[in-house]
């Protein structure tokens, strides 16, 4: 069956502080219902790519200076992050796990700020607890006193509270023990399979990302240098030599 492309990034250039060219013509496609990974080392441009898509560059003094970004055929370069949430696209930022002084449940509820129906919000919260049983156990704990894994789950759970069709996930494995990374990725896969949420994730942990993704793009110095079906990339000799075992 033909794949429906939800997100089409077409030759984007990003410049920081008016001078530093960081993305040098990046193109990628995200098909509906898939998990797509952007891979590559430190500074390759993964985070910048996600920020460009969700229009979070401004605060970093960055701008898209060339190319286009389309969501289901609509140009989105000028839409605010809030506009994107309304269109079903939400970003989970790297390391910005949770509001430290709020409880896990309060954090999750901040994800429902655009919603009005109390019944829907309650149902959504139960759904999140269903996928993240750890969060249910910790619902009344202040986020600051939960583990790194629980905080990452909380950040993803908060995104799920916006009822998204697509989640941009920046470095979900960062700072987590391998077993917890696996737990987080399993939940991502579960949300993808059962809730049909499309994921675009940025990861330095190539092994783990390729294991759970359908397709991968490898970036180096602001360019996509290779892309392919995840299992093909995982078996590719160059990928094995240069990227596997990293992270
Ligand atoms: P990491 O995994 O370390 O986040 P990355 O692949 O996500 O790496 P980016 O964070 O997108 O890479 O960074 C790409 C390049 O842009 C790097 O050279 C970085 O130093 C530069 N950069 C990132 N943010 C800014 C900024 N706000 N101002 C100037 N340069 C920046």
């Amino acid at each position: 069956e033909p794949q429906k492309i939800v997100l089409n990034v077409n030759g984007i250039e990003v410049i920081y502080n008016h001078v530093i060219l960081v993305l040098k013509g990046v193109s990628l496609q995200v098909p509906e219902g898939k998990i797509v990974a952007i891979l590559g080392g430190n500074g390759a441009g993964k985070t910048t790519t996600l920020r460009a898509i969700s229009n979070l560059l401004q605060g970093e003094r960055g701008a898209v200076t060339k190319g286009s970004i389309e969501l289901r055929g609509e140009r989105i370069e000028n839409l605010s992050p809030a506009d994107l949430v309304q269109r079903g696209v939400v970003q989970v930022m790297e390391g910005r796990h949770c509001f430290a002084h709020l409880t896990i449940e309060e954090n999750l509820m901040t994800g429902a700020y655009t919603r009005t129906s109390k019944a829907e919000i309650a149902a959504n919260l139960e759904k999140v607890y269903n996928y993240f049983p750890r969060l249910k156990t910790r619902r009344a704990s202040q986020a600051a006193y939960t583990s790194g894994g629980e905080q990452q789950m909380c950040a993803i759970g908060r995104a799920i509270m916006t009822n998204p069709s697509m989640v941009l996930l920046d470095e979900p494995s960062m700072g987590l023990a391998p077993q917890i990374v696996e737990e987080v990725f399993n939940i991502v896969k579960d949300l993808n399979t059962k809730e049909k949420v499309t994921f675009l994730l940025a990861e330095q942990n190539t092994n783990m990302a390729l294991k759970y993704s359908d397709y991968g793009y490898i970036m180096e110095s602001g360019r996509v240098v290779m892309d392919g079906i995840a299992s093909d990339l995982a078996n590719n000799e160059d990928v094995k030599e240069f990227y596997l075992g990293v992270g």
Side-chain angles (χ1 to χ4, degrees):
E1 68 191 80
Q3 289 188 330
K4 201 160 135 202
I5 301 300
V6 201
L7 183 75
N8 187 11
V9 175
N10 188 17
I12 58 167
E13 262 188 22
V14 168
I15 294 183
Y16 281 116
N17 296 313
H18 305 290
V19 286
I20 313 162
L21 180 62
V22 167
L23 296 191
K24 303 159 186 169
V26 169
S27 298
L28 58 87
Q29 280 84 40
V30 182
E32 182 136 67
K34 301 289 181 192
I35 302 178
V36 174
I38 305 175
L39 307 164
N42 229 322
K46 307 179 297 296
T47 296
T48 301
T49 303
L50 293 188
R51 278 187 188 144
I53 295 164
S54 48
N55 210 342
L56 289 167
L57 282 171
Q58 257 178 355
E60 306 289 330
R61 301 180 51 80
V64 177
T65 51
K66 239 184 220 168
S68 63
I69 306 173
E70 286 170 31
L71 180 71
R72 298 184 191 89
E74 180 194 12
R75 295 282 292 261
I76 58 169
E77 297 97 299
N78 295 316
L79 297 186
S80 68
D83 291 334
L84 285 170
V85 168
Q86 286 215 312
R87 284 163 177 75
V89 179
V90 64
Q91 175 154 356
V92 179
M93 282 188 274
E94 174 180 273
R96 302 280 167 87
H97 299 308
C98 275
F99 299 111
H101 301 293
L102 300 185
T103 65
I104 292 291
E105 185 150 304
E106 286 165 347
N107 267 286
L108 293 175
M109 291 303 285
T110 65
Y113 72 101
T114 56
R115 324 265 304 271
T116 47
S117 158
K118 282 203 167 125
E120 269 179 39
I121 294 171
N124 220 305
L125 188 62
E126 273 320 301
K127 187 165 87 183
V128 169
Y129 284 146
N130 210 17
Y131 283 96
F132 299 93
R134 267 171 185 266
L135 294 184
K136 187 161 192 172
T137 319
R138 305 289 268 143
R139 67 200 295 170
S141 304
Q142 222 177 301
Y145 299 109
T146 63
S147 70
E150 286 159 353
Q151 290 182 34
Q152 181 60 268
M153 290 176 194
C154 176
I156 300 171
R158 187 173 61 202
I160 296 300
M161 288 297 290
T162 68
N163 213 13
S165 56
M166 179 169 182
V167 177
L168 310 177
L169 202 50
D170 199 356
E171 207 91 35
S173 78
M174 199 170 72
L176 304 182
Q179 198 187 328
I180 307 296
V181 174
E182 196 105 28
E183 197 178 326
V184 170
F185 269 106
N186 268 314
I187 296 169
V188 164
K189 192 82 188 174
D190 227 25
L191 285 163
N192 170 254
T193 312
K194 296 184 189 147
E195 303 293 328
K196 311 284 177 228
V197 179
T198 302
F199 284 89
L200 176 62
L201 54 95
E203 256 303 339
Q204 289 200 38
N205 189 333
T206 311
N207 284 311
M208 206 67 93
L210 286 178
K211 183 170 161 191
Y212 287 91
S213 302
D214 298 295
Y215 201 87
Y217 289 87
I218 300 181
M219 290 187 70
E220 248 173 52
S221 313
R223 289 192 173 88
V224 172
V225 292
M226 200 189 291
D227 65 285
I229 293 168
S231 54
D232 291 347
L233 290 178
N235 290 313
N236 179 289
E237 291 305 322
D238 291 331
V239 175
K240 279 190 202 166
E241 181 172 351
F242 293 109
Y243 300 102
L244 295 182
V246 178

